């Protein structure tokens, strides 16, 4: 096995919490209430394609979205209270929300660092692409195939050529306008289905000239239940042919396009090397219908998770929710009582941040001997 190269430039297989120690110290050392550093925000709870690995199926799709004024108000309030960044991604396709592009402009105006992830099907006009290039620090195309036939099988739609054209157009417009937005492609990697596709997609990513191609783990939240997601054995990530394919992809990296398999996260296989959920004061998530929860595992109006729901943005503003006693009561519950090893399943968006904070709070003896 070759030695894997850390993605030092973008650090996508770890956490950037080190750069926000002011918030860590305020909350975990001084006990102060803080606004989140970052929020992952869905703005539509439905999609226009049907990926076989879609975590949104576990989160219960609905024909709902965050209404325009609520969405714009949330962007303004996030900036006002000190949220530092928002990623418009979520449990549906964000470009299906008609207010998506206005939300980008509003968020940038509010002083937020913005990013977004999209399947790219609807990014078919210069105006739409310009809104992304002008307002985001990075964007990703959710694109998990390197061939037309693979795309049909994995995304269950015949949109390969259209999305490739949209990627190519965005890269060209970035270069012409000298925009700083990092353009990437991202594959949710199901090893039993997609090893060869990842090699072909790595070649495609280089051909299109994107800044990076991220190959991430597929999370299985309920391994023994039918939730509309493709099933596979997590140990398949360890198969020699799978590792060889990912190493071949990684070796294609050059000065223009970085190929980044998330080795560390795939190695975890959804296991939690920490007992409680500490990350939520720094990083939380909003569903495409406006429900605000600690993380996406709780999405979907499920009765067993109702007690962890901070609120809904259509009913209570972001600022009011974060300043509420309910919000901080839930955070206390997650930090001190919620058992991540028995009460939550699958790869978690907060895994690496939780590992960092668990290490920070459970210091070894002799910390001055560095």
């Amino acid at each position: 096995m070759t030695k894997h190269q850390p993605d030092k430039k973008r650090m996508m297989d770890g956490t950037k919490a080190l750069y926000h120690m002011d918030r860590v110290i305020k909350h975990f050392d001084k006990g102060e209430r803080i606004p989140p550093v970052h929020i992952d925000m869905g703005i539509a709870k439905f999609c226009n394609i049907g990926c076989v690995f879609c975590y949104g199926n576990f989160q219960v799709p609905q024909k709902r979205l965050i209404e325009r004024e609520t969405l714009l108000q949330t962007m303004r309030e996030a900036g006002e209270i000190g949220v530092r960044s928002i990623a418009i991604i979520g449990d549906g396709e964000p470009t299906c929300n008609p207010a998506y592009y206005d939300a980008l402009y509003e968020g940038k105006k509010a002083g937020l660092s913005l990013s977004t992830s999209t399947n790219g099907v609807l990014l078919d006009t210069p105006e739409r692409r310009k809104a992304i290039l002008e307002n985001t620090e990075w964007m990703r195309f959710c694109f998990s195939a390197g061939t037309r036939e693979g795309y049909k099988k994995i995304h269950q739609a015949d949109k390969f050529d259209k999305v490739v054209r949209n990627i190519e157009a965005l890269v060209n417009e970035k270069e012409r306008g000298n925009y700083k937005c990092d353009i990437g492609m991202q594959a949710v990697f199901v090893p039993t289905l997609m090893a060869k596709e990842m090699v072909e997609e790595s070649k495609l990513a280089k051909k299109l000239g994107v800044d990076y191609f991220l190959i991430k783990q597929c999370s299985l939240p309920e391994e023994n239940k039918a939730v509309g997601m493709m099933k596979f054995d997590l140990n398949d990530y360890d198969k020699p042919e799978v590792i060889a394919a990912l190493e071949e992809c990684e070796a294609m990296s050059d000065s223009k396009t970085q190929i980044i398999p998330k080795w560390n996260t795939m190695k975890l296989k959804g296991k939690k090397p920490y007992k409680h959920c500490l990350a939520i004061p720094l990083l939380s998530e909003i569903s495409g219908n406006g429900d605000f929860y600690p993380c996406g595992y709780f999405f979907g109006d499920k009765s067993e998770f109702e007690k962890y729901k901070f609120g809904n943005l259509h009913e209570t503003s972001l600022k009011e929710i974060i300043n509420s006693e309910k919000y901080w009561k839930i955070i206390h519950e997650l930090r001190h009582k919620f058992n991540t090893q028995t009460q939550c399943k699958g790869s978690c968006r907060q895994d690496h941040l939780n590992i960092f904070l668990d290490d920070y709070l459970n210091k070894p003896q002799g910390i001055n001997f560095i």
Side-chain angles (χ1 to χ4, degrees), residues 138-152:
W138 59 259
M139 72 80 60
R140 292 178 196 156
F141 287 91
C142 296
F143 194 73
S144 298
T147 65
R148 186 177 296 104
E149 288 309 309
Y151 189 96
K152 288 179 182 178

Side-chain angles (χ1 to χ4, degrees), residues 32-59:
E32 297 180 21
R33 294 182 175 184
I34 58 171
V37 172
H38 176 81
I39 296 174
D40 280 345
M41 186 175 188
I43 63 173
K45 203 164 170 59
F46 56 94
C47 192
N48 49 359
I49 61 174
C51 309
V52 296
F53 51 75
C54 184
Y55 195 85
N57 288 323
F58 170 71
Q59 296 168 316

Side-chain angles (χ1 to χ4, degrees), residues 34-95:
I34 58 171
V37 172
H38 176 81
I39 296 174
D40 280 345
M41 186 175 188
I43 63 173
K45 203 164 170 59
F46 56 94
C47 192
N48 49 359
I49 61 174
C51 309
V52 296
F53 51 75
C54 184
Y55 195 85
N57 288 323
F58 170 71
Q59 296 168 316
V60 188
Q62 303 168 1
K63 203 71 176 178
R64 295 172 62 188
L65 47 72
I66 298 181
E67 300 295 337
R68 175 187 174 80
E69 189 46 49
T70 297
L71 178 55
L72 300 186
Q73 177 186 335
T74 300
M75 289 293 174
R76 292 190 290 267
E77 287 195 353
E80 289 172 8
I81 66 176
V83 175
R84 290 175 175 166
S85 64
I86 288 181
I88 302 180
I89 48 179
D91 42 346
E93 170 52 38
T95 60

Side-chain angles (χ1 to χ4, degrees), residues 167-220:
I167 297 173
E168 187 174 32
L170 191 72
V171 170
N172 290 338
E173 288 165 23
K174 172 188 172 176
E175 293 176 354
R176 285 197 301 269
N178 197 29
Y179 292 105
K180 302 302 181 184
C181 174
D182 224 19
I183 299 175
M185 292 160 55
Q186 172 182 279
V188 176
F189 177 48
V190 180
T192 49
L193 177 66
M194 294 162 53
K196 291 182 179 179
E197 287 292 331
M198 293 302 93
V199 174
E200 294 306 312
E201 188 167 358
S202 296
K203 296 175 184 176
L204 179 62
K206 293 186 64 174
K207 179 181 177 181
L208 292 171
V210 297
D211 296 296
Y212 65 87
F213 170 39
L214 179 68
I215 305 172
K216 63 177 289 187
Q217 77 294 339
C218 179
S219 181
L220 292 178

